[in-house]
Amino acid sequence: MIADLSAADLEAFGARIQADYDAFRARGLKLDMTRGKPAPEQLDLAEGMLALPGNRDHLTEAGEDARNYGGVQGVAEVRALFSGTLGAKPERIVVGDNASLAMMHDSIVWALLKGVPGSAKPWGRESEIAFLCPVPGYDRHFAICEEYGIRMIPVPMTGHGPDMAKVEELVRDPAVKGMWCVPKYSNPSAESYSDETVRRLASMKTGAPDFRLFWDNAYVLHHLTDERREILNVLDACADAGNPDRAFVFASTSKMTLAGAGLAFFASSEANVKWYLARASKRTIGPDKLNQLRHVRFLRDEAGLVAHMDKHRALLAPKFQTVTDALTSRLANQGAARWIKPDGGYFVSVDVTEGAASRVVALAKDAGLLLTAAGATWPYGKDPHDSNLRLAPSYPSLSDVKAASEGIALCILLAAIESESARRRSEAA
Amino acid sequence: MIADLSAADLEAFGARIQADYDAFRARGLKLDMTRGKPAPEQLDLAEGMLALPGNRDHLTEAGEDARNYGGVQGVAEVRALFSGTLGAKPERIVVGDNASLAMMHDSIVWALLKGVPGSAKPWGRESEIAFLCPVPGYDRHFAICEEYGIRMIPVPMTGHGPDMAKVEELVRDPAVKGMWCVPKYSNPSAESYSDETVRRLASMKTGAPDFRLFWDNAYVLHHLTDERREILNVLDACADAGNPDRAFVFASTSKMTLAGAGLAFFASSEANVKWYLARASKRTIGPDKLNQLRHVRFLRDEAGLVAHMDKHRALLAPKFQTVTDALTSRLANQGAARWIKPDGGYFVSVDVTEGAASRVVALAKDAGLLLTAAGATWPYGKDPHDSNLRLAPSYPSLSDVKAASEGIALCILLAAIESESARRRSEAA
């Protein structure tokens, strides 16, 4: 533990780490660990899609011409293919275009302008509304709330989902209309919601009768280990608890097939799906059904989908291993950082000592290593503890991830030593 | 003229047309003239796209990987390809996914929740807002206004665009925030806005400083004759008049390449494009860039685009000719209907005598011929004159269009004879 070192040992350790950092910096690398996006090799896994559906292949199983207008809910065989993954019957699924974020955005916009099933009036006509935001969380979720003036209330994550005692207390306020959830391999903490967490979210008493869980199951099949974690089916849990309309479930194939040319999904209760389709029908005559056929032709069935995800895992798992190996090797038992080894998802979340995150990002930048801005995982980009770092190892090559992880560990150590030295100087003064 | 016939002649003529109608009805046809969508043969013209972009072909000219996230404005070479068509520099164009309707919808939603450049506050915070709606017009435009409680004010079309004296008077009201325009081969009247109309729209004094023309140039290249009508560039006209931010221009390739898998476009001033992208960036990380590449690979350049549209014209022009031939053959000089022969677009608009449109639709339905509901071309689906009919000849086969047109002419004649007989009875009583 750095905190336990004698003055002389701290100074010596500091000098050694500074030297290592300087050597790292002198390599003049250009590394980027900010981007939670698939690497080119992962996109290559879907190479077969680029020439699909292929000549004359434009009819759905029902005989509809996928080239023409229509079909706002999405092609039936695509909804069937993803039914198990989404935990919803095909008739309770809507297939969108390439971004589940867009379906979340539109759900909020329509809630603001029209209300959702159970609303007394449009959310935008309330004097104020708020969303619960488990932290650390996904910056693009928070950006939608900020865009539309929805107050964000942070709730700490616990390792098995958000702090439910806090959540249950906060949702008694009728101004709280929604809550962001990334329930499996959460962004960025990689934790998954326990069954108890899901049950309590489904059954808790809410002040707003039209409260909604925005259940972004972005990493539903994005396992990094053999464990293939499953979480409780939130739609079933809500129905069982007598709150059938509580959850809007979202997912996409952006990190399954092609990041920019995937399919997005909305799944929910009968009333919510009817509501969503009524709104969506004002916006479009239908989604890109050829891209839906392209997905069915390529993935074929759920087994094909799972096998495809195994290929992603084979490319991703070594990168995550490299990150956590480097952190463990340098930081174990130093008291400078806490992290968990992700068993799924796209991020490694690291909590450094309070006030040190932005210093780590600055040190890294100075050494040619781009990290996500400190605070990005908090509402309004402001981490009150300045302690959370989000690392994204998917995009760089394995050798770059190795170099970057070594650099990150050094920056964290250096910041911790600086901070400890400053603390002692301040105590001595 | 039916109105000039003697009582005996009217009765004899009525009996003859009734017999013709009965014979038509007895054929037991199933015809549908409601759908303004491309026929399968038109979609076949883009057959080459179904296997594009093809293996390993995923890089843009700038070397970006079109498979991955990003590029919210759209691929540069796609914006360049459509620059001439849209009348805007590539940097003033945003490429959306498959529906320009969605870009119009989103522009309105964002205006309601955020305001547009020049707004004192979000449109949704005004006590009431209104849009001018040239009639007859496009039902899906009107449906967006109805969905969001925007009052619609009908303005008559004149044959060269909306009645500008009325428009200039109405826009003095600061509650009037926008106006729907289909400026070329308008839906459904097929008329194109004169240069004077465009200039007056660009320069008129509006009560609302943040008034916008929703310029849906849906049929920009959809000529049916050699004339290839051009209209004045509205973005230039607005800039020249000192109102650079007045027009939001929309278009799509839905009726160029594939109706359900085309590209949509937004083009406007620098400030408006910046505004649009700032909003869109909250909604999505980027559009489907592979579909954008697919379009460039298939169409290649503006000449390729124009040549492709000529093939559509070759399929569509005979269908439109068939409709207007049948109308002329049966209805010329009867005083039962007025129509113009479209030189572009997707519809034939027919004005029957006041109060007769819904009777024509009912007669047609009874004879197995589906027509768009009377009133559909008016805000709230209510045509106060019950006189406008919208015919969509693109989708059925040429022989079906021929049969349907004959049936429509008979229904119009029969309704007119019924109406004239009723008038005389009522006068005699």
Side-chain angles (χ1 to χ4, degrees), chain A residues 216-424:
Chain A
D216 183 3
N217 212 348
Y219 307 105
V220 54
L221 295 177
H222 305 62
H223 314 292
L224 288 169
T225 76
D226 279 331
E227 197 188 344
R228 297 172 187 281
R229 212 176 261 270
E230 287 308 324
I231 57 168
L232 212 60
N233 183 319
V234 72
L235 294 173
D236 291 348
C238 288
D240 290 348
N243 299 310
D245 299 331
R246 179 167 290 183
F248 286 167
V249 174
F250 304 94
S252 85
T253 70
S254 296
K255 294 184 182 83
M256 298 181 188
T257 55
L258 296 166
L263 302 177
F265 304 99
F266 171 89
S268 197
S269 68
E270 186 179 353
N272 285 337
V273 166
K274 191 175 162 191
W275 170 84
Y276 189 96
L277 288 173
R279 307 283 79 71
S281 302
K282 300 293 187 292
R283 186 179 181 273
T284 180
I285 310 179
D288 183 341
K289 297 183 301 300
L290 277 183
N291 201 31
Q292 297 186 22
L293 278 194
R294 195 172 286 126
H295 275 73
V296 177
R297 299 293 182 266
F298 180 68
L299 297 167
R300 295 182 180 277
D301 51 27
E302 197 171 301
L305 175 57
V306 167
H308 190 75
M309 294 309 294
D310 282 346
K311 297 181 192 170
H312 281 287
R313 177 183 148 195
L315 292 168
L316 284 171
K319 294 182 178 178
F320 280 80
Q321 185 72 49
T322 296
V323 174
T324 52
D325 281 355
L327 296 179
T328 303
S329 155
R330 284 280 190 179
L331 301 176
N333 306 316
Q334 295 288 8
R338 289 176 298 112
W339 66 94
I340 61 160
K341 187 172 176 229
D343 51 1
Y346 260 63
F347 298 101
V348 182
S349 178
V350 182
D351 284 306
V352 298
T353 49
E354 181 136 351
S358 38
R359 177 62 181 153
V360 172
V361 173
L363 284 167
K365 189 179 178 192
D366 204 38
L369 166 54
L370 211 56
L371 298 184
T372 302
T377 59
W378 278 71
Y380 312 104
K382 283 177 192 152
D383 174 358
H385 313 292
D386 188 22
S387 70
N388 186 251
L389 294 172
R390 186 186 74 187
L391 311 181
S394 57
Y395 190 76
S397 67
L398 187 57
S399 63
D400 277 2
V401 170
K402 196 172 161 59
S405 304
E406 173 69 13
I408 290 161
L410 286 171
C411 295
I412 291 172
L413 268 185
L414 200 54
I417 294 164
E418 287 175 359
S419 163
E420 177 64 16
S421 304
R423 193 186 63 76
R424 293 187 189 183

Side-chain angles (χ1 to χ4, degrees), chain A residues 52-53 58 65-70 97 284-294, chain B residues 38 43 46 49-50 52 82 95-100 252-265 288 290-296 298-299:
Chain A
L52 288 175
H58 55 257
D65 189 335
R67 302 171 302 178
N68 221 322
Y69 288 117
D97 283 320
T284 180
I285 310 179
D288 183 341
K289 297 183 301 300
L290 277 183
N291 201 31
Q292 297 186 22
L293 278 194
R294 195 172 286 126
Chain B
L43 301 170
M49 292 182 77
L50 270 62
L52 288 177
F82 288 92
V95 190
D97 284 320
N98 75 333
S100 57
S252 86
T253 70
S254 296
K255 296 184 182 81
M256 297 179 187
T257 55
L258 296 166
L263 303 176
F265 304 99
D288 182 341
L290 277 183
N291 201 32
Q292 297 185 23
L293 278 194
R294 195 171 287 126
H295 276 73
V296 177
F298 179 68
L299 297 167

